[in-house]
Amino acid sequence: MEVKVNWDHVELNQKEAKFDNCNDLKTHNLFAENRPKTQTLFRTYFTNNTDIEQQYSFKTDRVTRQVCSFEFTTGFIREKKGNITFKLPEGIVEIGGGIRSEHSIECGKDQTKEEEVSWGVDSVINVKPHTRTVASLVVNEIELDKNFTVETRLRGRLVVVLNNRCEGNQFFKSFSGDIVEIISKAVESYWLPANSSVFEILQGDDGQKYARTVVKGKVKFRLGVEQHVTLNEEPL
């Protein structure tokens, strides 16, 4: 038999994700607690063998990659249409130039997302007579981890369809049931794995019951936050 689970009639109400220690998401605080990693994207040597000062153009565009890695530690996997929308903390969006403020992740499945970030410089470099100047485009990156929690509420009817594989996946039978009753039965009968997320059955303001669970995990960021042009001068 082929088993298909239809979630179309189950309402999944997801609260906004909460991240821990979001008050420290300022550049100076981040640098104080997370030593930035320096990455040199481009370096040019300007050599002046003449007796007069020379002017050179230092122009380049380079690309780095920003990474958001989502890892679930507690939660459940839902087939299709089970995405969680993460609105990143404002501090992360502000310091991570170009990073998207929202990410959609399939519930319960770890995922890593990367985005390109462009860096550019267009400067004029003055080089003294009989000296060499080294100009570098340098980017500071930081890495940090944040724990998250997302409260999810489920209500509605779950439909299961059985198809016969031996007869070209022809329809055989279907079942349906209230998701709250199904979860209640699973909890009472210990059908849920010991390490699965814990569901609670609660009653809403409208008098109807719903199943509540909290999805937990960790998101790891690698962000480029600053760019610098460094000049080093040495005599010939």
Side-chain angles (χ1 to χ4, degrees):
M1 291 294 174
E2 179 188 46
V3 181
K4 291 186 176 180
V5 181
N6 187 334
W7 288 83
D8 290 346
H9 303 290
V10 175
E11 176 188 347
L12 190 149
N13 185 356
Q14 173 206 314
K15 302 297 183 180
E16 190 168 324
K18 296 181 180 180
F19 297 86
D20 63 350
N21 300 327
C22 287
N23 294 330
D24 62 351
L25 295 180
K26 299 295 182 181
T27 302
H28 63 278
N29 290 338
L30 288 171
F31 281 6
E33 298 183 8
N34 302 273
R35 179 175 295 180
K37 296 182 179 180
T38 299
Q39 182 180 175
T40 300
L41 304 185
F42 188 74
R43 180 180 289 120
T44 300
Y45 296 83
F46 300 100
T47 302
N48 183 5
N49 287 311
T50 70
D51 295 327
I52 60 175
E53 185 173 276
Q54 299 288 337
Q55 258 189 6
Y56 299 90
S57 175
F58 180 43
K59 184 177 182 179
T60 188
D61 293 290
R62 288 293 185 269
V63 172
T64 60
R65 303 192 72 83
Q66 292 188 152
V67 178
C68 292
S69 178
F70 295 87
E71 176 185 345
F72 291 87
T73 56
T74 303
F76 66 99
I77 297 176
R78 178 189 179 194
E79 293 182 4
K80 299 180 181 179
K81 302 180 182 178
N83 289 358
I84 292 180
T85 300
F86 288 89
K87 293 184 178 180
L88 300 186
E90 292 183 4
I92 291 290
V93 177
E94 290 175 0
I95 64 173
I99 193 170
R100 288 189 294 117
S101 60
E102 287 192 7
H103 291 266
S104 182
I105 306 297
E106 190 171 351
C107 183
K109 295 187 178 180
D110 300 348
Q111 189 170 347
T112 297
K113 294 198 170 187
E114 296 186 2
E115 298 178 58
E116 289 189 347
V117 179
S118 298
W119 308 89
V121 60
D122 187 359
S123 302
V124 174
I125 306 298
N126 295 315
V127 182
K128 297 177 182 178
H130 303 290
T131 62
R132 178 169 61 188
T133 298
V134 182
S136 302
L137 174 60
V138 178
V139 169
N140 284 337
E141 293 183 325
I142 60 169
E143 295 182 357
L144 63 152
D145 300 345
K146 292 292 175 186
N147 295 320
F148 67 80
T149 58
V150 181
E151 179 184 333
T152 305
R153 299 182 178 185
L154 298 93
R155 177 189 290 173
R157 297 194 69 80
L158 193 68
V159 180
V160 178
V161 178
L162 301 181
N163 295 326
N164 194 330
R165 292 182 184 272
C166 298
E167 298 182 6
N169 288 336
Q170 288 186 359
F171 173 79
F172 175 73
K173 199 172 184 179
S174 67
F175 305 88
S176 69
D178 184 274
I179 188 68
V180 175
E181 294 180 4
I182 294 172
I183 292 176
S184 297
K185 186 69 173 178
V187 172
E188 293 170 3
S189 302
Y190 301 101
W191 293 346
L192 292 172
N195 295 327
S196 66
S197 58
V198 178
F199 285 92
E200 293 181 281
I201 306 301
L202 302 174
Q203 186 167 313
D205 296 335
D206 57 1
Q208 296 184 11
K209 292 183 178 180
Y210 64 89
R212 174 187 179 272
T213 186
V214 177
V215 176
K216 298 180 181 180
K218 178 176 290 187
V219 58
K220 298 181 180 180
F221 299 95
R222 190 178 77 231
L223 307 169
V225 294
E226 289 182 349
Q227 78 168 33
H228 301 273
V229 175
T230 63
L231 301 177
N232 292 302
E233 183 182 276
E234 58 185 39
L236 296 176

